[in-house]
Amino acid sequence: MAVDCAASIPGAARTMLRFVVLFLFFLAVLFGLELLHPVEQHVILPFTAAIAKICVWIVGLFDADMVAQGKILWSASNGFAISIERGCNGVEAIIILVSAMLAFPAPWKHRLAGIGIGFVAIQSLNLVRIISLFYLGQWSMRWYEWFHLYLWQALIVLDALVVFLVWLRWLPRTRSPQAAHPATV
């Protein structure tokens, strides 16, 4: 006698289990793709270099001292430099957000809008992160290390979580059959 495990799980728990399984699947696929050499060479490195150029453009509005060469930002006056490496370009936080939005049962137009807005939100905060670290490193390496390793890493991932939670609140509510026909007492 075959037992249908899915039939024994209540509806809400089945939906949550589906979300978790799909979320982990999309995480594995997207992180796996990110690690492929062609993806790194043709997507990740050019994207990271673009982030460096955007940082120089933003800082150039008030300080012409920052220069970008590829993924490296350096100070023309004192020679201090930072390199935007894997894990510092916001791609991992975007992968987490995209995986969650793809796994959640929502209309595709809402998923795509959420991914687009989330991308902008994460990368905007990441630009602030990179620029602040550039200046912190010139001021104090102790503070640079602390902000780089502890504060900013957590804030970027927290940003992805906040964007996901706001996106969940933004989704249109569907009425459940129980809500359409309330029980009478």
Side-chain angles (χ1 to χ4, degrees), residues 3 10 13 17 27 47 60 69 71-72 76 86 88 109 117-118 125-126 128 133 139 149 151 153 182:
V3 177
L17 179 62
L27 275 178
F47 176 74
Q69 186 173 15
K71 62 181 183 171
I72 297 173
R86 185 180 293 278
C88 297
K109 69 178 184 177
I117 292 167
L125 184 61
N126 198 44
V128 171
L133 289 173
W139 176 65
L149 296 175
L151 182 66
Q153 293 287 49

Side-chain angles (χ1 to χ4, degrees), residues 78 80-82 129-145 147-148:
N78 64 23
F80 176 80
I82 61 173
R129 172 186 177 270
I130 292 167
I131 293 168
S132 72
L133 289 173
F134 179 76
Y135 285 108
L136 269 172
Q138 294 176 71
W139 176 65
S140 167
M141 283 308 290
R142 172 185 277 167
W143 284 106
Y144 168 86
E145 290 295 329
F147 273 81
H148 178 248

Side-chain angles (χ1 to χ4, degrees), residues 22-184:
L22 284 175
F23 175 67
L24 294 174
F25 170 77
F26 287 126
L27 275 178
V29 168
L30 293 174
F31 275 118
L33 285 173
E34 181 201 19
L35 294 175
L36 294 176
H37 184 71
V39 173
E40 181 176 3
Q41 292 301 309
H42 300 292
V43 178
I44 303 299
L45 289 176
F47 176 74
T48 305
I51 290 172
K53 287 180 180 151
I54 293 169
C55 287
V56 168
W57 180 81
I58 292 170
V59 169
L61 297 173
F62 57 88
D63 179 7
D65 193 43
M66 183 190 280
V67 179
Q69 186 173 15
K71 62 181 183 171
I72 297 173
L73 298 171
W74 55 279
S75 170
S77 65
N78 64 23
F80 176 80
I82 61 173
S83 178
I84 305 171
E85 297 296 330
R86 185 180 293 278
C88 297
N89 56 12
V91 171
E92 288 77 8
I94 291 169
I95 287 174
I96 293 168
L97 179 67
V98 168
S99 296
M101 288 183 175
L102 290 177
F104 195 82
W108 276 101
K109 69 178 184 177
H110 295 291
R111 290 179 190 184
L112 295 175
I115 289 168
I117 292 167
F119 178 87
V120 171
I122 290 169
Q123 286 305 323
S124 296
L125 184 61
N126 198 44
L127 291 171
V128 171
R129 172 186 177 270
I130 292 167
I131 293 168
S132 72
L133 289 173
F134 179 76
Y135 285 108
L136 269 172
Q138 294 176 71
W139 176 65
S140 167
M141 283 308 290
R142 172 185 277 167
W143 284 106
Y144 168 86
E145 290 295 329
W146 191 84
F147 273 81
H148 178 248
L149 296 175
Y150 301 110
L151 182 66
W152 276 118
Q153 293 287 49
L155 287 177
I156 294 296
V157 174
L158 183 62
D159 186 28
L161 175 63
V162 168
V163 168
F164 181 68
L165 293 175
V166 168
W167 177 76
L168 288 176
R169 298 280 300 170
W170 175 71
L171 288 175
R173 301 286 177 237
T174 58
R175 294 181 59 177
S176 66
Q178 291 89 8
H181 304 287
T184 57

